């Protein structure tokens, strides 16, 4: 992916590049006003850059769903992040959720069930006095299962 989009698109609020067969790694972009980044169903690899959420504090929606070559763990999430929706289903990202992810208000987190332990997450929700209500295993329209965590119940 182009590494310097952020230098030329200072006022960009939404970046949707889904289904374009884009390959390569996710650049360590630092947009000024970005609120949504949707990179669903491409051919991305590597990891989410370690400072990605720190560099994009206005970001509230981030999807890299169906990029099976993305791996590693989730990057640091600062307490002043605006992130509300994170969709990493269909990736190889794994590990645990740090306490900062457990404290997202009005959150919807969709995680690959093979990379995360739902029992561990639900225990951490209690341990860290999380605002997340609970996590459940869900199934999408294609029969794949994933973990969904919400801080609200509908």
């Amino acid at each position: 992916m182009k590494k310097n989009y952020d230098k030329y698109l200072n006022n960009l609020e939404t970046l949707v590049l889904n289904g374009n067969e884009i390959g390569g790694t996710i650049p360590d972009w630092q947009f000024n006003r970005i609120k949504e980044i949707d990179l669903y169903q491409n051919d991305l690899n590597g990891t989410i850059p370690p400072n990605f959420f720190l560099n994009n504090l206005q970001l509230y929606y981030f999807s890299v769903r169906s990029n099976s070559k993305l791996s590693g763990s989730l990057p640091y999430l600062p307490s002043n992040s605006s992130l509300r929706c994170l969709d990493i289903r269909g990736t190889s990202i794994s590990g645990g959720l740090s306490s900062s992810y457990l404290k997202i208000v009005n959150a919807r987190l969709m995680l690959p069930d093979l990379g995360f332990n739902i029992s561990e997450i639900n225990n951490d929700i209690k341990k860290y006095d999380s605002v997340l209500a609970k996590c459940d295993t869900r199934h999408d329209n294609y029969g794949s299962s994933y973990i969904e965590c919400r801080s609200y119940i509908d």
Side-chain angles (χ1 to χ4, degrees):
M1 293 192 74
K2 271 229 183 253
K3 302 212 181 294
N4 58 358
Y5 282 132
D6 56 336
K7 304 296 181 249
Y8 303 105
L9 302 170
N10 291 325
N11 295 318
L12 185 70
E13 292 187 5
T14 302
L15 178 64
V16 178
L17 297 172
N18 55 20
N20 286 294
E21 299 179 15
I22 297 169
T25 59
I26 299 172
D28 198 7
W29 287 320
Q30 188 170 357
F31 290 104
N32 292 333
R33 297 182 179 168
I34 197 77
K35 292 183 169 116
E36 299 178 51
I37 295 178
D38 188 347
L39 302 172
Y40 166 67
Q41 203 171 19
N42 281 291
D43 194 28
L44 299 172
N45 60 55
T47 62
I48 300 171
N51 292 322
F52 193 81
F53 296 124
L54 181 65
N55 290 341
N56 297 286
L57 292 173
Q58 303 294 324
L59 186 66
Y60 70 81
Y61 176 87
F62 182 65
S63 175
V64 290
R65 178 181 176 191
S66 297
N67 283 280
S68 61
K69 296 176 192 168
L70 273 179
S71 60
S73 57
L74 288 170
Y76 169 72
L77 182 70
S79 60
N80 60 339
S81 171
S82 299
L83 189 68
R84 296 294 173 263
C85 185
L86 173 69
D87 191 349
I88 59 171
R89 292 177 282 175
T91 68
S92 296
I93 296 171
S94 62
L97 286 177
S98 68
S99 61
S100 57
Y101 286 92
L102 298 173
K103 295 183 183 216
I104 299 174
V105 177
N106 296 320
R108 185 168 186 211
L109 309 176
M110 291 158 285
L111 315 168
D113 68 341
L114 296 176
F116 291 82
N117 182 316
I118 192 166
S119 298
E120 187 176 295
I121 294 170
N122 281 323
N123 286 337
D124 285 347
I125 286 171
K126 295 173 191 163
K127 178 179 173 183
Y128 292 109
D129 194 29
S130 173
V131 296
L132 292 176
K134 71 176 202 172
C135 296
D136 294 308
T137 300
R138 307 270 179 161
H139 301 279
D140 63 20
N141 294 338
Y142 306 104
S144 298
S145 59
Y146 64 96
I147 298 171
E148 182 174 46
C149 304
R150 293 178 180 218
S151 60
Y152 56 90
I153 299 173
D154 55 13

